[in-house]
Amino acid sequence: MKVAEKFISVNGEGQRAGELAVFVRFTGCNLCCSYCDTRWANEADAPYDKMTPKEIYAYIKDTGVKNVTLTGGEPLLHEGMGDLLSILAKDSGLRIEIETNGSVDITPFCLGNNISFTLDYKLPGSGVQTAMNTDNYMYLSPADTVKFVTGSLEDLDRASEIIEKHGLCGKCKVYISPVFGCITPSEIVDYMAEHKLNDVRLQLQLHKYIWNPDKRGV
């Protein structure tokens, strides 16, 4: 498996935002979002370490950190991901979060009670909205998350529509995040209040406020 970077930090977003986590970032992605902040890891010549699922698990255990975030790129496209998740699912001391871009079928990867998904729904401003696989929403649980990264009022309108259409707040946690530098958090709060978006959470990417937004390995 092609690992672009691995490190310990705090979760910058998701249900365990602010908690310590060990991150494993995989190279490559099938989408190219307009606001992608890890584009470097998606290039064909992106640097990587080749690791087996067992080696990745050994690294995770050596850190002593129980929250594990598998991210990318798009981690679910990697050959060997099923094997890795099968290993991780057997370790009840770990809590695994898979950050996926919302285009890949998650059903082959629902392998254990300690595995949860954070799915993006790519809004119009992303340029890749047509790639979304909303069939995934049938398999969500309260441990899972759907995240809407928004950069405009048009994006917010679409997010509101998808949340209501699929009854997402009754299935999982729902977050709206701003595209960094494109829309202010206060604009999102005003929209949430105007449209009565109950049970939807505004989320800021903590790591972009703690460190330089372009810093890697955090």
Side-chain angles (χ1 to χ4, degrees):
M1 304 181 77
K2 296 180 179 181
V3 176
E5 59 178 353
K6 54 190 188 299
F7 55 91
I8 297 172
S9 185
V10 292
N11 269 314
E13 50 196 332
Q15 294 192 36
R16 297 194 176 278
E19 292 188 21
L20 200 63
V22 52
F23 290 78
V24 181
R25 183 183 305 283
F26 297 90
T27 63
C29 190
N30 58 321
L31 303 181
C32 187
C33 298
S34 62
Y35 51 75
C36 181
D37 56 5
T38 55
R39 200 178 303 276
W40 65 270
N42 304 334
E43 302 294 341
D45 61 350
Y48 65 87
D49 292 324
K50 197 164 187 178
M51 300 179 69
T52 67
K54 288 183 179 179
E55 288 172 336
I56 294 171
Y57 175 63
Y59 164 74
I60 290 169
K61 292 299 287 183
D62 284 346
T63 68
V65 177
K66 65 181 180 180
N67 290 328
V68 181
T69 301
L70 306 180
T71 188
E74 176 45 61
L76 297 184
L77 294 177
H78 273 255
E79 184 178 354
M81 185 55 64
D83 293 336
L84 174 60
L85 292 175
S86 293
I87 294 170
L88 297 176
K90 294 175 183 175
D91 191 331
S92 60
L94 298 177
R95 298 184 296 213
I96 316 303
E97 177 188 6
I98 303 169
E99 293 187 340
T100 176
N101 65 25
S103 71
V104 181
D105 180 9
I106 65 171
T107 55
F109 307 102
C110 298
L111 299 175
N113 293 331
N114 63 339
I115 295 175
S116 64
F117 297 88
T118 293
L119 291 89
D120 276 4
Y121 182 92
K122 303 298 186 183
L123 296 166
S126 71
V128 294
Q129 181 181 208
T130 57
M132 293 299 91
N133 181 357
T134 56
D135 288 347
N136 283 329
Y137 299 162
M138 293 186 291
Y139 308 102
L140 296 176
S141 77
D144 301 314
T145 299
V146 176
K147 179 182 68 176
F148 297 87
V149 179
T150 181
S152 67
L153 292 178
E154 179 190 6
D155 281 352
L156 286 168
D157 285 339
R158 182 58 173 163
S160 180
E161 178 185 334
I162 292 297
I163 291 166
E164 181 177 359
K165 178 180 178 180
H166 295 280
L168 292 179
C169 290
K171 298 177 179 179
C172 64
K173 296 292 189 298
V174 178
Y175 293 90
I176 295 177
S177 296
V179 176
F180 196 81
C182 289
I183 190 171
T184 65
S186 64
E187 289 177 280
I188 297 176
V189 173
D190 288 344
Y191 185 96
M192 292 170 64
E194 180 182 352
H195 293 81
K196 305 299 185 288
L197 296 186
N198 292 299
D199 300 319
V200 174
R201 293 166 169 82
L202 170 67
Q203 178 170 258
L204 306 180
Q205 293 177 296
L206 292 179
H207 51 288
K208 291 187 177 180
Y209 291 87
I210 299 172
W211 297 282
N212 184 299
D214 297 322
K215 186 176 176 62
R216 298 182 188 179
V218 295

